[in-house]
Amino acid sequence: MNRTMTDSGLYRFTILATSDVHGQIVPIDYRTGTHRMASLATLGTMIRKEREAAPELLLIDNGDALQGTPLAHYVSRLSSEAQIHPIVAAMNELQYDAAVLGNHEFNFGRELLDKAIGQSAFPWFSAGIADQTTGEPAFGKPYLIKMLNGGSIKAALLGVTTHYIPNWENPEHISGLVFHDALDSLLSWATRIREEEQPDVIIAAYHGGLERDLASGEPTERLTGENQGYAMCQAAKEAGIDVLITGHQHRLIATEIAGVTVVQPGTGGQALGKVEIVFELEHGKWIVKEKQSELLLPDERTIPDARVMEGMEKAEAGTQIWLDQPLGYVTGDMSVGDPLTCRLADHPFLSFIHRVQLEASGAQLSVAALLSEQPSGFGANVTMREVLANFMFPNTLIVLRLSGRDIRAALERTADYFRLAGDGSPIVNPAYIEPKPQHYNYDMWAGIAYELDIRRPVGERVVKLECGGEPVADEDSFGVVMNNYRASGGGDYEMFQGKPVVKEIMAESAELVADYFRRYGTIAAECDNGWRVIY
């Protein structure tokens, strides 16, 4: 917030926002150990520069800060060195005013989350997440009031989180919580704030994204309620919302929708969202005269903030040692050169994942996907670094009881991943790339033999489906292991929702893979070529 009054009697107010930092505090690529430009430490230098120009600015994190990098994994699972969570320490150092809870904040359970919140010098909140017993917001008052310009201007910051979390999260991690519709919660609380606090401006920080094309308003995804940012903007006038900070989709957006100024600053410290609001005093009341959003991006000249980097040294050193511990060896080729090729036919890396899942679960069939946007597979010498590069989410495994009909429907959903180029070669359906990459929603199966003919219309592409050499009938029943995200129906796999749970394996996938290497030492790269895509 800029306390400087312009010569024309206007007051200029600055908001800075980060979102989806995902534990990327230091500028390092954990897969390779090399330097990367984006990080919270890099943005920290930019934040301090902005603070010099606007000493009262409002600094917000819009969720998904505590999970995402090996550092975050190490700190949450293994490190006993740090008295304070290093990610929180970095945010404290940069003097955040508030943080909104993201869906990934729950990934490591409530104990770690509550500890991190308790160590924070700023509040965490969300209007739509309620205590099941009291019905009140579970993390305290879901908004913050800031007095500006010597107390003459009142700004309200309201936080809200996508209510789709129960569709993804381990139920134990969200026990006792109720997730109300984010749009309804935002509008209800904004109206209440407007009536009770009478602010001059309302800023909404929503850990969720935009479900429609910004220009045309046409849906860019199936309207499940996971992302409601566009609808929020359309309804904002009635509730008096002036600014909407968004996230979750990892997009770079600075625009205006239906009169609402919108910003979304990417992921991993990719950009700093900035919103400037100009107030003008009219008849004794401050009125929002102008609003504008922009994205501030670091470049190769941006030096990471020294104090943030210094505060991370101990945890970072421990993380690097842990990452380089040897786990086992691979004979043959288990590397992933071209992810598209890996998705066209059975591959040794996916076959290995299935072996781990099937052994851990005792299931008959296995479902898995390439989770990383840049999957590497495994080289000859496997360390925890390679494991976490491929298994960055703290997913657990669930065995569902599925029918042959369910499996066929799931394969048809998977087959929608492909389109054909003009020359007949397979390409990725644009819906899996924009508005955000969703390659992790393409599944590959083990235990069945199948063929997907992508020359055929969507919904009619499964041309072979067998188990043990016999066609799979709709009424056949199977125990199928998959990660908890998919078992909940995540990725629009609605055919899995509500199916009987046979077994739950609560160990994370990364730990299961690491233990598999520790147990067997050397793994042969092999596959049975049980499926293929025809084009």
Side-chain angles (χ1 to χ4, degrees):
M1 303 170 199
N2 191 334
R3 284 185 60 89
T4 304
M5 187 77 69
T6 66
D7 293 339
S8 59
L10 305 177
Y11 179 80
R12 201 172 290 273
F13 164 39
T14 301
I15 307 162
L16 298 180
T18 55
S19 191
D20 300 270
V21 172
H22 283 293
Q24 190 69 57
I25 309 302
V26 299
I28 187 171
D29 185 330
Y30 287 97
R31 296 168 302 158
T32 62
T34 57
H35 177 80
R36 58 173 278 165
M37 202 155 51
S39 71
L40 183 61
T42 313
L43 296 186
T45 298
M46 300 163 63
I47 289 168
R48 293 199 197 276
K49 182 178 179 181
E50 291 293 321
R51 198 181 291 282
E52 289 176 3
E56 283 190 325
L57 66 77
L58 183 64
L59 177 59
I60 307 157
D61 185 77
N62 194 40
D64 282 2
L66 300 178
Q67 175 277 339
T69 57
L71 169 74
H73 189 106
Y74 170 76
V75 168
S76 63
R77 293 300 190 212
L78 300 176
S79 174
S80 59
E81 303 169 5
Q83 295 300 307
I84 184 169
H85 196 299
I87 295 171
V88 169
M91 296 171 74
N92 285 346
E93 171 61 36
L94 294 172
Q95 300 177 44
Y96 273 79
D97 290 281
V100 177
L101 291 146
N103 53 294
H104 285 290
E105 254 68 70
F106 296 92
N107 284 171
F108 297 120
R110 282 295 299 274
E111 183 178 353
L112 179 132
L113 174 57
D114 290 343
K115 181 180 178 182
I117 291 174
Q119 295 172 335
S120 300
F122 51 88
W124 295 69
F125 48 59
S126 179
I129 306 177
D131 183 279
Q132 191 173 41
T133 302
T134 66
E136 295 298 317
F139 297 91
K141 187 171 71 172
Y143 67 92
L144 176 74
I145 295 294
K146 271 296 225 194
M147 302 306 297
L148 319 174
N149 194 34
S152 65
I153 300 175
K154 180 185 282 191
L157 169 67
L158 169 64
V160 67
T161 308
T162 175
H163 58 264
Y164 222 60
I165 290 174
N167 291 286
W168 311 310
E169 190 53 72
N170 182 335
E172 291 186 6
H173 295 171
I174 54 175
S175 177
L177 299 177
V178 178
F179 294 82
H180 296 301
D181 184 274
L183 174 60
D184 291 346
S185 299
L186 182 77
L187 297 179
S188 173
W189 274 94
T191 300
R192 177 173 170 178
I193 291 168
R194 182 67 72 187
E195 293 173 352
E196 295 181 3
E197 302 285 358
Q198 298 181 357
D200 298 293
V201 64
I202 295 182
I203 305 113
Y206 167 49
H207 188 83
L210 297 150
E211 71 281 22
R212 295 179 181 272
D213 182 86
L214 304 185
S216 68
E218 292 297 313
T220 53
E221 59 186 45
R222 201 168 60 85
L223 301 179
T224 62
E226 175 183 350
N227 298 301
Q228 299 173 296
Y230 195 92
M232 289 176 178
C233 291
Q234 294 295 322
K237 185 176 181 181
E238 181 180 347
I241 296 170
D242 302 282
V243 174
L244 181 66
I245 297 161
T246 63
H248 187 55
Q249 292 173 316
H250 301 179
R251 300 167 67 185
L252 293 169
I253 298 172
T255 190
E256 186 168 292
I257 302 172
V260 179
T261 302
V262 178
V263 69
Q264 186 174 145
T267 182
Q270 192 176 9
L272 184 64
K274 180 179 180 180
V275 178
E276 283 199 327
I277 301 175
V278 176
F279 292 93
E280 185 175 21
L281 189 62
E282 293 184 1
H283 308 295
K285 181 173 176 58
W286 288 99
I287 305 297
V288 174
K289 190 71 174 178
E290 297 175 15
K291 300 177 296 173
Q292 184 175 356
S293 62
E294 63 178 314
L295 295 167
L296 307 179
L297 283 79
D299 57 31
E300 62 278 357
R301 297 167 297 176
T302 309
I303 299 172
D305 184 79
R307 292 182 64 85
V308 171
M309 293 293 289
E310 181 182 351
M312 300 295 292
E313 284 180 357
K314 195 171 185 179
E316 181 61 30
T319 299
Q320 293 298 330
I321 293 171
W322 175 64
L323 283 174
D324 288 329
Q325 63 176 282
L327 296 174
Y329 306 93
V330 170
T331 58
D333 187 3
M334 207 183 283
S335 63
V336 178
D338 178 10
L340 183 63
T341 300
C342 190
R343 294 182 176 107
L344 290 171
D346 203 0
H347 186 280
F349 179 65
L350 264 298
S351 178
F352 168 75
I353 297 174
H354 291 309
R355 275 189 275 170
V356 173
Q357 293 190 168
L358 289 168
E359 180 174 294
S361 67
Q364 186 177 358
L365 309 182
S366 173
V367 179
L370 293 172
L371 300 179
S372 172
E373 294 299 326
Q374 298 175 304
S376 59
F378 293 138
N381 302 311
V382 180
T383 66
M384 185 59 77
R385 188 183 301 278
E386 282 75 39
V387 171
L388 288 180
N390 290 284
F391 300 89
M392 70 290 298
F393 301 113
N395 295 128
T396 57
L397 299 181
I398 292 178
V399 180
L400 297 182
R401 177 63 57 186
L402 299 179
S403 68
R405 182 182 295 104
D406 297 327
I407 293 170
R408 183 176 293 273
L411 287 170
E412 291 289 1
R413 164 74 179 113
T414 279
D416 185 47
Y417 178 82
F418 291 108
R419 294 291 183 266
L420 290 177
D423 61 359
S425 61
I427 58 174
V428 178
N429 179 351
Y432 287 78
I433 301 173
E434 296 291 343
K436 88 170 193 178
Q438 299 182 56
H439 301 291
Y440 53 80
N441 284 327
Y442 178 81
D443 284 343
M444 291 153 278
W445 290 64
I448 54 174
Y450 64 94
E451 293 180 352
L452 308 176
D453 188 345
I454 61 174
R455 299 169 300 183
R456 297 172 60 85
V458 172
E460 302 175 14
R461 292 179 163 184
V462 179
V463 295
K464 176 183 177 180
L465 177 54
E466 297 177 352
C467 185
E470 297 294 328
V472 173
D474 284 352
E475 297 75 22
D476 289 346
S477 179
F478 303 89
V480 184
V481 62
M482 62 191 74
N483 69 41
N484 60 303
Y485 170 75
R486 187 68 79 240
S488 69
D492 294 340
Y493 283 84
E494 295 178 342
M495 68 292 298
F496 296 156
Q497 290 180 338
K499 293 301 188 290
V501 175
V502 177
K503 186 177 183 180
E504 295 186 54
I505 299 90
M506 300 313 297
E508 294 177 12
S509 295
E511 291 300 328
L512 291 173
V513 170
D515 287 343
Y516 195 93
F517 274 106
R518 294 186 187 108
R519 186 160 56 252
Y520 294 106
T522 300
I523 310 297
E526 56 188 26
C527 61
D528 59 13
N529 299 308
W531 64 272
R532 65 173 181 150
V533 174
I534 302 170
Y535 56 93

